[in-house]
C-alpha cells in the first residue's frame, strides 16, 4: 500500500464538527464590520516578496526567518502572505482608493509564517483584519478599539486585557533609536549574537528578545514614551481619555513594540492569560508612513488583525457552546424506484420553503440503515417516501427527537405542515 499523505506540519484542517465555531466568529465579525461601515476586500494569497520586505521590515523575525518565499516559473520572487496589512494597502493603492478619500476595509483569510508550531502558533493561520485609511486620528484609533471591544462582548469573551503604547513619529523614533544604541553599546558583553547584529541594523528589535539573560538589560533600557513630543503625547492622551469615558479598561505598556516595523504612534494588543505563551488574540496600530514606503503618497493608516485560531481557543477555554446548524428533516427513500421521484420532490419542497434545511438520502440501503443515518444527521423529522406512499401520493413523518406517533400526510399538505412545525415562511 502507498504511504498516506498528511497535512504539512503547522497547517490544519478545520473538520465539519469544528466549522460551525469558525462560522460563528466569521459571521459576528462580518455583521459587526458592516454595521460600522467597513467594506470587505479580498486580496491574493501570494504577493511579490518585495511588498513584505519593504513594509514589514528587512530586520524582523517575519522577513528574516518566517516567510514562505519561492521563485515562480518566471523567476519572480513570490511570498505567501504572512499578514494582510501590506496586501490590503497595496490593493487600495493599486486601485486608486487612497486619493483624497477615506476607506474603511476588512478582510479575512489564511496567512503563512514558518514559525515553530505550538499551541496557538501555526504555520498556516487565519486572520480577520480591519484597516482604515486617510484618517489621522485619534478618533479612528478609538473607533477601532471600540469595535474590537464590542466584538469580544458579542462573542461572549471577557477577561481580555487591552495593552496600549505609542511608538511616536518617525523623528521621535529616530531620537529614541540613538538613545537605545548608546545604552546597548555601553553593555556590549551582555548582548547575545543576534542582538549585536540588531544593534547595527534595527536596535528597537532588541527589545523583542526572549533571551532571559538579557531580560534585566532590556528592562532598564530607555523607554520610547520619554521621547514623545507634544503632538504624539496629545494623540495618546486623547485616546486614553476617550477610552476612560467609554469605560474600556487598558494598561499602558511602554515595552509594547510589536513585531513589524511599519507602526507609528498608537499600537495595541488584546491579551489573554488563557493560552499560555501565545496570549495575543488581536493586535494592531497606526502606520502613517507605510503608504509612502510601498510607493504611494503619504496617507495615514491604522488597523488590527485577530488570529481566529486563538479566538476559538479562548472560546473553548471558556466552554462557550456553539450549536451546529440545524437539519430540519431527512428524506428517507427506501426502494430504488422512489429515488428519482424523491429527489425531484425534495427540490419542489425546497422551492416551497426557502428556509428549510432538508437532507435527502443518497447511497441506497434499507429502511433501517437510512433511519440510522437520519438520526445521525441531527434532523428533527424523518420524511419517508416509500413505494406505498408514492402510490398514494403521500408521505410518512416520524419525529426523531420526541415520542410522537408516526403520521402520514398527502404530499401537497407537507409544505404547510413543515412551515408550521419549524416556523418557516412559504414561498
Ligand atoms: P501580528 O501581531 O503579527 O499583526 O498578528 C496579528 C494576530 O494574528 C496575532 O495577535 C495573533 O492572534 C495572530 N497570529 C499571528 N501569528 C500567528 C501564528 N503563527 N499562529 C496563529 N495566530 C497567529 C499583524 O499581522 C498585523 N498585520 C496587524 C495589523 C493590522 N496591524 C495593522 N493592521
Amino acid at each position: 500500500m502507498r504511504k498516506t499523505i498528511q497535512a504539512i506540519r503547522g497547517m490544519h484542517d478545520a473538520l465539519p464538527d469544528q466549522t460551525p465555531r469558525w462560522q460563528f466568529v466569521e459571521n459576528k465579525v462580518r455583521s459587526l464590520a458592516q454595521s460600522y461601515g467597513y467594506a470587505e476586500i479580498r486580496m491574493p494569497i501570494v504577493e511579490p516578496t518585495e511588498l513584505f520586505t519593504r513594509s514589514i521590515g528587512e530586520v524582523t523575525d517575519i522577513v528574516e526567518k518566517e516567510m514562505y518565499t519561492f521563485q515562480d516559473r518566471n523567476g519572480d520572487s513570490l511570498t505567501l502572505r504572512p499578514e494582510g496589512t501590506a496586501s490590503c494597502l497595496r490593493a487600495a493603492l493599486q486601485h486608486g482608493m487612497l486619493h483624497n478619500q477615506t476607506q474603511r476595509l476588512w478582510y479575512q483569510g489564511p496567512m503563512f509564517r514558518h514559525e515553530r508550531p505550538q499551541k496557538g502558533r501555526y504555520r498556516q493561520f487565519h486572520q480577520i483584519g480591519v484597516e482604515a485609511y486617510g484618517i489621522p486620528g485619534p478618533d479612528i484609533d478609538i473607533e477601532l478599539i471600540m469595535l474590537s471591544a464590542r466584538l469580544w462582548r458579542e462573542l461572549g469573551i471577557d477577561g481580555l486585557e487591552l495593552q496600549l503604547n505609542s511608538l511616536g513619529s518617525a523623528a521621535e523614533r529616530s531620537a529614541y533609536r540613538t538613545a537605545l544604541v548608546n545604552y546597548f553599546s555601553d553593555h556590549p558583553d551582555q548582548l547575545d549574537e543576534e542582538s549585536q547584529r540588531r544593534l547595527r541594523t534595527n536596535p528597537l528589535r532588541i527589545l523583542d528578545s526572549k533571551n532571559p539573560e538579557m531580560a534585566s538589560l532590556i528592562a532598564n533600557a530607555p523607554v520610547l514614551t520619554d521621547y514623545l513630543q507634544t503632538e504624539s503625547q496629545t494623540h495618546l492622551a486623547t485616546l486614553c481619555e476617550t477610552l476612560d469615558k467609554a469605560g474600556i479598561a487598558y494598561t499602558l505598556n511602554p515595552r509594547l513594540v510589536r513585531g513589524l516595523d511599519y507602526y507609528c504612534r498608537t499600537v495595541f494588543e488584546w491579551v489573554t492569560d488563557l493560552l499560555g505563551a501565545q496570549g495575543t488574540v488581536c493586535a494592531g496600530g497606526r502606520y502613517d508612513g507605510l503608504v509612502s514606503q510601498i510607493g504611494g503618497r503619504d496617507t495615514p493608516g491604522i488597523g488590527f488583525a485577530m488570529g481566529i485560531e486563538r479566538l476559538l481557543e479562548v472560546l473553548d477555554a471558556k466552554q462557550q457552546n456553539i450549536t451546529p446548524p440545524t437539519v430540519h428533516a431527512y428524506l428517507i427513500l427506501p426502494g430504488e424506484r422512489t429515488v428519482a421521484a424523491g429527489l425531484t420532490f425534495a427540490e419542489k419542497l425546497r422551492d416551497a420553503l426557502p428556509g428549510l434545511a432538508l437532507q435527502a438520502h443518497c447511497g441506497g440501503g434499507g429502511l433501517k440503515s437510512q433511519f440510522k443515518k437520519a438520526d445521525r444527521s441531527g434532523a428533527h423529522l424523518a420524511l419517508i417516501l416509500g413505494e406505498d406512499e408514492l402510490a398514494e401520493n403521500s408521505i410518512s413523518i416520524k419525529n426523531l427527537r420526541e415520542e410522537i406517533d408516526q403520521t402520514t400526510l398527502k404530499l401537497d399538505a407537507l409544505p404547510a405542515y413543515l412551515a408550521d412545525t419549524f416556523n418557516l415562511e412559504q414561498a
Side-chain angles (χ1 to χ4, degrees), residues 10 56 62 66 82-86 107 111-133 144 258-260 262-263 268-270 275 278-287 290 301-311 313:
I56 296 170
I62 296 181
E66 297 168 2
E83 58 109 46
T85 306
Y107 51 83
M111 309 289 160
F112 303 85
R113 296 184 194 175
H114 197 274
E115 296 188 81
R116 199 166 52 79
Q118 52 180 274
K119 188 177 162 59
R121 196 206 269 161
Y122 309 103
R123 290 184 172 170
Q124 175 176 326
F125 58 99
H126 297 78
Q127 282 186 346
I128 298 179
V130 178
E131 315 283 352
Y133 304 138
L144 282 172
R258 310 275 301 117
L260 308 94
Y262 49 61
Y263 292 108
F268 61 94
E269 292 192 354
W270 287 95
L275 303 182
Q278 309 305 322
T280 306
V281 173
C282 171
R286 184 164 275 286
Y287 45 86
L290 185 53
I302 180 168
F304 66 74
M306 58 193 109
I308 306 185
E309 285 85 352
R310 289 191 195 172
L311 266 181
E313 279 154 18

Side-chain angles (χ1 to χ4, degrees), residues 68-371:
Y68 282 87
T69 297
F70 58 96
Q71 278 197 349
D72 76 356
R73 289 173 191 276
N74 301 330
D76 295 329
S77 178
L78 306 183
T79 293
L80 294 184
R81 62 181 183 194
E83 58 109 46
T85 306
S87 306
C88 188
L89 200 52
R90 193 265 315 131
L93 189 60
Q94 178 175 340
H95 299 287
M97 294 163 66
L98 299 180
H99 188 59
N100 283 340
Q101 43 190 320
T102 60
Q103 293 289 346
R104 287 171 153 106
L105 303 171
W106 73 276
Y107 51 83
Q108 65 170 331
M111 309 289 160
F112 303 85
R113 296 184 194 175
H114 197 274
E115 296 188 81
R116 199 166 52 79
Q118 52 180 274
K119 188 177 162 59
R121 196 206 269 161
Y122 309 103
R123 290 184 172 170
Q124 175 176 326
F125 58 99
H126 297 78
Q127 282 186 346
I128 298 179
V130 178
E131 315 283 352
Y133 304 138
I135 311 170
D139 48 1
I140 191 71
D141 309 28
I142 297 161
E143 174 178 279
L144 282 172
I145 291 177
M146 285 174 166
L147 189 160
S148 52
R150 180 174 296 277
L151 181 65
W152 314 143
R153 288 199 297 279
E154 294 206 355
L155 291 173
I157 296 177
D158 52 14
L160 292 186
E161 186 194 356
L162 173 62
Q163 298 207 352
L164 206 61
N165 191 23
S166 173
L167 297 186
S169 64
E172 288 155 355
R173 262 199 322 285
S174 158
Y176 175 61
R177 185 189 151 105
T178 309
L180 263 191
V181 171
N182 289 341
Y183 170 78
F184 285 123
S185 302
D186 284 345
H187 307 87
D189 43 336
Q190 291 180 47
L191 293 175
D192 59 20
E193 208 175 304
E194 183 167 2
S195 298
Q196 286 183 12
R197 185 174 58 81
R198 290 189 163 184
L199 185 61
R200 290 186 300 276
T201 52
N202 194 348
L204 258 80
R205 287 269 85 86
I206 298 176
L207 303 173
D208 276 349
S209 169
K210 304 282 180 290
N211 182 350
E213 285 171 22
M214 286 177 47
S216 78
L217 180 71
I218 289 173
N220 292 318
V223 287
L224 210 160
T225 332
D226 293 337
Y227 292 79
L228 299 186
Q229 306 287 313
T230 317
E231 216 180 308
S232 291
Q233 281 172 358
T234 313
H235 192 109
L236 180 63
T238 313
L239 173 60
C240 292
E241 279 161 26
T242 318
L243 291 177
D244 288 337
K245 278 193 197 133
I248 298 176
Y250 57 89
T251 308
L252 283 174
N253 175 1
R255 294 279 169 219
L256 184 67
V257 288
R258 310 275 301 117
L260 308 94
D261 277 352
Y262 49 61
Y263 292 108
C264 64
R265 298 224 162 107
T266 312
V267 287
F268 61 94
E269 292 192 354
W270 287 95
V271 188
T272 174
D273 52 14
L274 294 172
L275 303 182
Q278 309 305 322
T280 306
V281 173
C282 171
R286 184 164 275 286
Y287 45 86
D288 296 343
L290 185 53
V291 184
S292 56
Q293 255 164 267
I294 64 171
R297 235 185 280 162
D298 256 355
T299 312
I302 180 168
F304 66 74
M306 58 193 109
I308 306 185
E309 285 85 352
R310 289 191 195 172
L311 266 181
L312 291 176
E313 279 154 18
V314 173
L315 286 174
D316 272 355
K318 297 207 161 276
Q319 300 190 326
Q320 173 83 267
N321 237 347
I322 292 154
T323 41
T326 339
V327 179
H328 294 124
Y330 190 99
L331 182 60
I332 291 184
L333 300 170
E336 267 168 41
R337 263 172 294 171
T338 63
V339 172
L343 292 179
T344 314
F345 174 66
E347 284 304 295
K348 282 199 187 128
L349 210 49
R350 293 182 178 113
D351 288 341
L353 294 165
L356 180 71
L358 173 68
Q359 198 169 318
H361 182 81
C362 288
L367 192 61
K368 202 166 158 206
S369 87
Q370 293 200 28
F371 256 111

